[in-house]
């Protein structure tokens, strides 16, 4: 044992010298070595992999990445390493190392035996949870304290909507500017990382939220509030728009006509979904009259403001498909029966049925994919999000599906990978500490058996996941999946732990 510790200290002395001239995120790698020597931190070396670091750099074969505790301490050619005695070695030979993936539109973290492990098993080491409430904040805190293995969590506020809403509790409904400001102050007090705005907010309340968020230094993001011009919402500081809602309208030759129709259609408290159904159908019709010059104008405005689009094409694909399309997906074994039953019921009244409806919805989905590609080419930054907990959108797995759709939209595999790594971290204000593989960054990594730059589907071929420096090899990931399957089989109620109704926001 003494010899092992002596070898480890020899390696850390080498690391201190090798990293003495480097600084990343304001931290000198030598400091990691000194802290590790004092604190007994684990030292892990991923050896021999081709590093796809999330930047624009070319993949670097035969590399080594040294992790000390929960940070990356050194990245370079494997040949430059000293003898690896006394440290844990992960064999990366013939494999590809990428940064941990981020899903920036999720729900359901409070299914703590199912969702957090499914993220990790699929290489998703960070999420943006889009509806904050006490139960999922409690799960986030368990992850932070190390009591539960799971991804890093950026937590939204309670969803803030108007006095009429598609949603039930725990949505926050506001009718006035003062109520809207109070909702932002509550989000601030609860430690929300951002404020989530929703579809039926009034213009006065939205303006108050934007102003109060500026005062609090809180970003806000979410749905397009239908009573606010989308460009005006972007100008006001909305950081992202979800699901491409409204994007077909603002890029259509029929823009003004459709906006007038929406403005003249009331929100019906007795039948709140009626407006949403109308808006979605008008979105579909708008794609049939795409206007390149309106698109240039609209996308230019978003790009200028730094407003992102989260297409969530994986959930759009489901909503544009016949109800039974995914009924035999093998990943259903990871989903509790009660959730599956809700999914079936949700699609029963929303999915296309007739041949005409099916053809229209198929064309609508492909138009949305093309819009995402057009936005990207126009300089709008896309975010990778899935909207999991909606029908047949599976935690973790769904981000792999979303990456497929990003490539379908025209992004290269390398560029699509950057969307869910480097770009995600930059959007969250974490570019200095996450999103790429470099000294000083957090030790969130995924080791793949195939090259994701050649084929984005390689992200499905996971050998090892490192989350905050904790190593999960293939055997550990398989055990994780088996445990999730068992938990799904024994979960009786949709919210058996929290007592909440099963909800997703979109």
């Amino acid at each position: 044992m003494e010899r092992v510790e002596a070898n480890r200290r020899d390696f850390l002395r080498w690391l201190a010298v090798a990293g003495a001239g480097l600084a990343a995120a304001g931290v000198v790698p030598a400091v990691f070595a000194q802290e590790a020597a004092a604190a007994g931190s684990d030292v892990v070396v991923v050896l021999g992999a081709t590093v796809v670091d999330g930047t624009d750099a070319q993949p670097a074969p035969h590399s080594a990445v040294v992790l000390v505790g929960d940070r990356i301490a050194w990245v370079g050619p494997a040949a430059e390493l000293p003898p690896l005695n006394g440290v844990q070695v992960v064999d990366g030979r013939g494999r590809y190392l990428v940064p941990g993936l981020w899903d920036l539109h999720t729900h359901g973290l409070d299914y703590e035996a199912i969702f957090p492990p499914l993220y990790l098993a699929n290489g998703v080491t960070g999420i943006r949870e889009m509806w904050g409430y006490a139960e999922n904040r409690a799960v986030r805190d368990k992850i932070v304290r190390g009591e539960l293995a799971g991804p890093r969590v950026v937590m939204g506020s309670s969803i803030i909507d108007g006095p009429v809403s598609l949603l039930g509790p725990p949505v926050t409904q506001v009718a006035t500017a003062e109520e809207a400001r109070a909702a932002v102050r509550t989000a601030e007090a609860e430690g929300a990382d951002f404020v989530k705005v929703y579809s039926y907010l009034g213009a006065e309340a939205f303006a108050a939220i934007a102003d109060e968020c500026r005062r609090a230094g809180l970003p806000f993001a979410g749905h397009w509030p239908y009573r606010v011009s989308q460009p005006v919402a972007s100008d006001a500081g909305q950081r992202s728009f979800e699901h491409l809602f409204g994007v077909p309208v603002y890029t259509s030759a029929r823009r003004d006509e459709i906006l007038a129709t929406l403005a003249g259609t009331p929100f019906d408290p007795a039948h709140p979904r009626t407006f949403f159904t109308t808006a979605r159908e008008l979105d579909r019709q708008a794609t049939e009259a795409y206007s390149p010059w309106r698109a240039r104008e609209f996308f230019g405005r978003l790009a200028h403001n730094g407003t992102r689009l989260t297409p969530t094409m994986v959930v759009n694909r489901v909503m544009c498909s016949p109800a039974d399309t995914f009924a035999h997906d093998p990943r259903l074994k990871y989903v509790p029966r009660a959730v599956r039953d809700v999914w079936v019921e949700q699609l029963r009244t929303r999915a296309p049925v007739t041949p005409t409806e099916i053809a229209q919805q198929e064309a609508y989905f492909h138009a949305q994919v093309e819009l995402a590609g057009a936005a990207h080419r126009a300089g709008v930054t896309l975010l990778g999000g899935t909207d999991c907990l909606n029908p047949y959108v599976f935690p973790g797995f769904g981000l792999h599906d979303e990456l497929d759709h990003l490539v379908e939209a025209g992004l290269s595999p390398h560029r699509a990978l950057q969307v869910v790594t480097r770009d995600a971290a930059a959007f969250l204000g974490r570019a200095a500490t996450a999103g790429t593989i470099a000294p000083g960054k957090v030790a969130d990594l995924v080791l793949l058996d195939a090259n994701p730059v050649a084929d984005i589907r390689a992200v499905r071929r996971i050998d090892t996941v490192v989350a905050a420096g904790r190593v999960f090899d293939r055997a550990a990931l398989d055990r994780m999946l088996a445990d999730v399957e068992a938990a799904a089989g024994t979960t009786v109620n949709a919210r058996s732990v929290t007592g909440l109704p099963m909800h997703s926001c979109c």
Side-chain angles (χ1 to χ4, degrees), residues 311-322:
T312 64
M313 290 178 282
V314 62
V315 73
N316 293 345
R317 167 80 276 181
V318 175
M319 295 304 171
C320 289
S321 302

Side-chain angles (χ1 to χ4, degrees), residues 5-295:
E5 180 59 23
N7 289 335
R8 176 176 167 281
R9 289 182 179 277
D10 287 344
F11 185 86
L12 288 170
R13 278 192 288 271
W14 169 85
L15 180 62
V17 173
L22 298 176
V27 182
V28 179
V31 173
F32 293 132
Q34 294 163 2
E35 292 178 348
S41 298
D42 291 337
V43 180
V44 178
V45 178
V46 183
L47 182 66
T50 295
V51 170
V52 181
D53 67 6
T55 73
D56 293 331
Q58 291 296 309
H62 311 299
S63 294
V65 177
V66 179
L67 316 177
V68 177
D70 64 354
R71 290 295 184 108
I72 298 170
W74 187 86
V75 181
E80 295 184 7
L81 290 177
L84 300 178
N85 300 318
V87 302
Q88 180 181 351
V89 177
V90 176
D91 186 0
R93 292 173 298 178
R95 298 187 174 95
Y96 296 80
L97 190 68
V98 302
L101 313 180
W102 282 85
D103 185 338
L104 292 192
H105 194 123
T106 71
H107 300 280
L109 183 69
D110 43 315
Y111 282 97
E112 64 179 79
I114 295 171
F115 279 52
L118 281 183
Y119 291 128
L120 291 187
N122 286 281
V124 177
T125 59
I127 63 171
R128 182 174 63 146
E129 186 81 348
M130 298 298 290
W131 190 349
Y133 41 84
E135 291 79 8
N136 61 11
R137 288 195 293 269
V139 175
R140 173 204 58 192
D141 293 345
K142 285 184 179 182
I143 294 171
V144 170
R145 293 193 299 265
E147 298 167 9
L148 178 69
R152 299 177 192 275
V153 181
V154 174
M155 181 65 70
S157 67
S158 173
I159 289 176
I160 306 177
D161 204 5
V164 176
S165 181
L166 290 166
L167 304 174
V171 67
T172 298
Q173 294 177 255
V174 300
T176 67
E178 185 49 45
E179 289 175 350
R181 291 182 184 277
V184 174
R185 290 194 292 270
T186 296
E188 184 181 14
E190 292 175 342
D193 295 306
F194 66 98
V195 166
K196 170 74 177 288
V197 296
Y198 209 63
S199 305
Y200 291 2
L201 269 175
E204 182 186 10
F206 176 85
I209 288 170
D211 184 62
E212 195 68 18
C213 282
R214 281 191 291 272
R215 179 204 63 78
L218 274 176
F220 68 98
H223 284 204
W224 168 36
Y226 291 113
R227 296 309 189 216
V228 181
S229 158
Q230 201 162 26
V232 168
S234 172
D235 292 347
Q238 184 160 338
R239 294 291 313 286
S240 68
F241 292 112
E242 309 302 302
H243 317 301
L244 300 179
F245 290 161
V247 174
V249 174
Y250 282 95
T251 58
S252 175
R254 295 181 57 195
R255 181 194 67 183
D256 295 344
E257 168 205 342
I258 291 174
L259 289 176
T261 299
L262 291 173
T265 303
F267 303 145
D268 183 354
H271 303 284
R273 182 160 287 276
T274 300
F275 182 94
F276 180 81
T277 302
T278 298
R280 189 175 185 277
E281 171 58 17
L282 290 173
D283 249 5
R284 185 196 67 77
Q285 293 178 21
T287 63
E288 299 176 340
Y290 177 75
S291 168
W293 74 267
R294 285 208 186 279

Side-chain angles (χ1 to χ4, degrees), residues 461-493:
R461 298 181 58 186
I462 296 173
D463 175 84
T464 301
V465 173
V466 182
R470 186 175 175 184
V471 178
F472 300 91
D473 63 13
R474 187 65 256 173
L477 298 175
D478 288 340
R479 287 193 298 272
M480 199 177 286
L481 289 171
D483 289 345
V484 172
E485 185 176 355
T490 58
T491 300
V492 178
N493 299 315

Side-chain angles (χ1 to χ4, degrees), residues 423-476:
D423 295 356
F427 171 74
L428 297 171
R430 301 185 179 206
T433 59
T436 60
I437 301 175
K441 299 292 180 80
V442 292
D444 295 345
L445 304 166
V446 188
L447 187 62
L448 305 171
D449 286 330
N451 183 2
V453 174
D455 184 348
I456 197 61
R457 291 172 296 182
V459 296
R460 303 170 188 266
R461 298 181 58 186
I462 296 173
D463 175 84
T464 301
V465 173
V466 182
R470 186 175 175 184
V471 178
F472 300 91
D473 63 13
R474 187 65 256 173

